[in-house]
Amino acid sequence: MVNGFSTRAIHAGQDPDPTTGSVIVPIYATSTFAQDGVGGTRGGYEYSRSANPTRTALAECLAALEGGRHGLIFGSGMSATDTLLRVALRPGDHLLIPHDAYGGTFRLVDKVLTAWGIEYSPVDLADLAATRAAVRPSTRMIWCESPTNPLLGIADIAALADLAHTEGARLVVDNTFASPYLQTPLALGADVVLHSTTKYLGGHSDVVGGALVTDDSELAERLAFAQNAVGAVPGPFDAWLTLRGIKTLAVRMERHSDNAERVVAALVDHPKVSRVYYPGLAEHPGHEVAAKQMRRFGGMVSFQVSSAGGVDPEAEALRVCAATRLFILAESLGGVESLIEHPGRMTHASTAGSLLQVPADLVRLSVGIEDAEDLVEDLLRALG
């Protein structure tokens, strides 16, 4: 029987401890495990780089939420990204990435993996014709974000999966912005789902982590081998914190979405805002696709400030970022607290001078779960 989302979030992989009856998964703070003779492990555990029961519980829970058979938990979202790309690609292979990809992903691909012989092309994945035209005989992967970071672009995941599979490539979806509560890419045909668990899954800005989920058993085995070989693992306390956060994911995502909608409504007609990026807006070019493949539209909002009156738009964006009181000026996203940042100078500085450079007047919000009226008042005061 397939239980509801919140039931899985609270119970999947989290049976009471058989020894003590603890209803919460223990933090197995150990580096090694006693063996019943040479090679005789208890429950398959021998060394915590290879496997740890707390990490296993998180992997099983997240796989259940994404509807996948295999989950792997990493020390960061970027270590999950790097492990996947190095396992799934070889020198000479070609990769498609979003034309507004997360800056850290772009930096890894452009500055690290190209030296290893990987080729890549940025493309607007919302444009299927352009995406198809960008595919080469050597294309082995399409890397998708939906919504994208920071322009909240929407890609049709099912259509991209069909395209990728027709071309002999894999589709990977970075599902960090949506979380499995709002969107399940494997059900839409994706081959692998990636998360920075630092964000909505952890949800409290107190842990760094990453994850991969897939139905492909052969790929999962190769990923697990590589992860163990390079040691890209979190500690048990990090896994436990993330597992704790996941228990309230559904209720948090509902509040994030509620608050984001209130914030968007206040920004849309503001004279000092020239454009608002949010897939919940009817005029958003990806609104219909987002409505089809997402439960709601999430807690991330971006906007460009108006350049009216001769004010330098970048300077005005920086001023707004510095003027809020409840929205904290900080990188990252997905925590219970609201954050504000300037992508061009912060999270996406690595894209400067490239085809992925973001607008200088762009401001990105991670709308938290505070009282919505307080958040709106804070933004309106900062905008002036």
Coordinates of all heavy atoms in Angstrom, one line a residue, residues 19-21 74 82 110 141-142 150 199 203 234 241 258 277 299 334 347 365 381:
T19 N 16.2 -2.5 19.4 CA 16.8 -2.8 20.7 C 16.1 -2.0 21.8 O 15.8 -2.6 22.8 CB 18.3 -2.5 20.6 OG1 18.9 -3.2 19.6 CG2 19.0 -2.8 21.9
T20 N 15.9 -0.7 21.6 CA 15.4 0.1 22.7 C 14.0 0.6 22.5 O 13.4 1.0 23.5 CB 16.3 1.4 22.8 OG1 16.1 2.2 21.6 CG2 17.8 1.1 22.9
G21 N 13.4 0.5 21.3 CA 12.1 1.0 21.1 C 12.0 2.4 20.8 O 10.9 3.0 20.7
F74 N 24.7 12.3 0.4 CA 26.0 12.8 0.2 C 26.3 14.0 1.2 O 25.4 14.5 1.8 CB 26.2 13.3 -1.2 CG 26.2 12.3 -2.3 CD1 25.0 11.7 -2.7 CD2 27.4 11.8 -2.8 CE1 25.0 10.7 -3.7 CE2 27.4 10.8 -3.8 CZ 26.2 10.2 -4.2
D82 N 28.8 16.1 -8.5 CA 30.1 15.7 -9.0 C 30.2 14.2 -9.2 O 30.7 13.7 -10.2 CB 31.2 16.2 -8.1 CG 32.6 15.8 -8.6 OD1 33.0 16.3 -9.7 OD2 33.4 15.1 -7.9
D110 N 32.0 24.0 -15.9 CA 32.8 24.8 -16.8 C 34.3 24.9 -16.3 O 35.2 24.9 -17.2 CB 32.2 26.3 -16.8 CG 33.0 27.2 -17.7 OD1 32.9 27.0 -18.9 OD2 33.6 28.2 -17.2
M141 N 23.7 13.3 -21.5 CA 22.9 13.7 -20.4 C 22.3 15.1 -20.7 O 22.9 15.9 -21.2 CB 23.7 13.7 -19.1 CG 23.0 14.2 -17.9 SD 24.1 14.2 -16.4 CE 24.4 12.5 -16.2
I142 N 21.0 15.2 -20.2 CA 20.4 16.5 -20.1 C 20.2 16.8 -18.6 O 19.6 16.0 -17.9 CB 19.1 16.6 -20.8 CG1 19.2 16.3 -22.3 CG2 18.4 17.9 -20.6 CD1 17.9 16.2 -23.1
P150 N 18.4 31.3 -10.9 CA 17.5 32.0 -10.1 C 16.3 32.6 -10.8 O 15.5 33.3 -10.3 CB 18.3 33.2 -9.6 CG 19.2 33.5 -10.8 CD 19.4 32.2 -11.5
K199 N 18.6 22.5 1.6 CA 17.6 23.5 1.4 C 16.3 23.0 2.0 O 16.2 22.9 3.2 CB 17.5 23.7 -0.1 CG 18.8 24.0 -0.8 CD 19.6 25.1 -0.3 CE 20.8 25.6 -1.1 NZ 21.8 24.6 -1.4
G203 N 15.6 22.1 5.8 CA 14.5 23.1 6.1 C 14.8 24.1 7.2 O 14.0 25.0 7.5
P234 N 28.0 12.2 4.3 CA 27.8 13.1 5.5 C 28.0 12.3 6.7 O 28.0 11.0 6.7 CB 26.3 13.4 5.3 CG 25.7 12.2 4.7 CD 26.8 11.6 3.8
L241 N 19.7 15.2 11.2 CA 19.1 16.5 11.1 C 18.2 16.6 9.9 O 17.1 17.2 9.9 CB 20.2 17.6 11.1 CG 20.8 18.0 12.4 CD1 22.0 19.0 12.2 CD2 19.8 18.7 13.4
D258 N 2.2 29.5 0.4 CA 1.2 30.5 0.8 C 1.9 31.9 0.8 O 1.4 32.9 0.3 CB 0.6 30.2 2.1 CG -0.4 29.1 2.1 OD1 -0.9 28.7 0.9 OD2 -0.7 28.5 3.1
Y277 N 9.5 37.1 -11.3 CA 9.6 35.7 -11.8 C 9.0 34.8 -10.7 O 9.5 34.6 -9.6 CB 11.1 35.3 -11.9 CG 11.8 36.2 -12.9 CD1 12.4 37.4 -12.6 CD2 12.0 35.8 -14.3 CE1 13.1 38.2 -13.5 CE2 12.7 36.5 -15.2 CZ 13.2 37.8 -14.8 OH 13.9 38.5 -15.7
G299 N 8.3 28.3 -2.8 CA 8.6 29.5 -2.0 C 9.7 30.4 -2.5 O 10.1 31.3 -1.8
G334 N 15.5 27.9 1.3 CA 14.7 26.7 1.7 C 14.5 26.6 3.2 O 13.9 25.6 3.7
T347 N 25.4 34.1 -5.3 CA 25.3 32.7 -5.7 C 25.7 32.5 -7.1 O 26.1 31.4 -7.4 CB 23.9 32.2 -5.4 OG1 22.9 33.0 -6.1 CG2 23.5 32.1 -4.0
L365 N 14.5 35.9 -3.7 CA 14.0 35.7 -2.3 C 13.7 34.3 -2.1 O 13.2 33.5 -2.9 CB 12.6 36.5 -2.2 CG 12.6 37.9 -2.5 CD1 11.1 38.4 -2.5 CD2 13.5 38.7 -1.6
R381 N 8.7 48.3 2.6 CA 9.5 49.3 3.3 C 10.9 49.4 2.6 O 11.5 50.5 2.4 CB 9.7 49.0 4.8 CG 10.4 50.1 5.6 CD 10.8 49.6 6.9 NE 11.6 48.3 6.8 CZ 12.8 48.3 6.5 NH1 13.5 49.4 6.1 NH2 13.5 47.1 6.4

